[in-house]
């Protein structure tokens, strides 16, 4: 959701299409749960690392809850870049496996 024209001045990105991810991969891959917002958020942060970017920046606020992966961005371009990276990762099981390793190594899945 684009809130740049409001007093909030941010972009909010979310993922909660659990039917899609479960139909494609099931509830988990290699013991990494894909059925909650924290798990997917950990993969998004790890996917940024895979692309040579920092997991977090000072313009991002990860705010996921059990039912939704939710990240707030103060920078529109950073939001778009993260969406592109996350989309590429979530559609490629090999990238998901790499992201799982990074998420576990960095505790991204424990948020």
């Amino acid at each position: 959701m684009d809130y740049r024209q409001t007093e909030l001045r941010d972009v909010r990105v979310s993922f909660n299409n659990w039917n899609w991810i479960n139909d494609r991969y099931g509830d988990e891959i290699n013991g990494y749960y894909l059925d909650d917002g924290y798990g997917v958020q950990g993969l998004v942060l790890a996917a940024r690392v895979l692309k040579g970017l920092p997991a977090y920046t000072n313009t991002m606020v990860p705010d996921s809850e059990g039912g939704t992966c939710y990240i707030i961005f103060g920078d529109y371009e950073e939001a778009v870049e993260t969406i592109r990276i996350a989309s590429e990762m979530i559609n490629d099981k090999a990238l998901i496996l790499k992201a799982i390793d990074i998420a576990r190594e960095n505790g991204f899945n424990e948020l």
Side-chain angles (χ1 to χ4, degrees), residues 15-72:
F15 177 86
N16 61 357
N17 191 346
W18 306 120
N19 290 334
W20 179 88
I21 203 165
N22 286 329
D23 288 347
R24 187 157 182 153
Y25 301 113
D27 291 340
E28 56 91 21
I29 296 175
N30 288 355
Y32 189 97
Y33 292 101
L34 302 172
D35 60 354
D36 69 32
Y38 302 110
V40 173
Q41 176 179 291
L43 293 179
V44 171
L45 298 174
R48 287 179 51 84
V49 172
L50 278 170
K51 290 293 185 176
L53 299 171
Y56 301 96
T57 70
N58 61 356
T59 65
M60 309 172 48
V61 179
D63 193 24
S64 295
E65 295 191 15
T68 303
C69 172
Y70 190 69
I71 304 174
I72 302 166

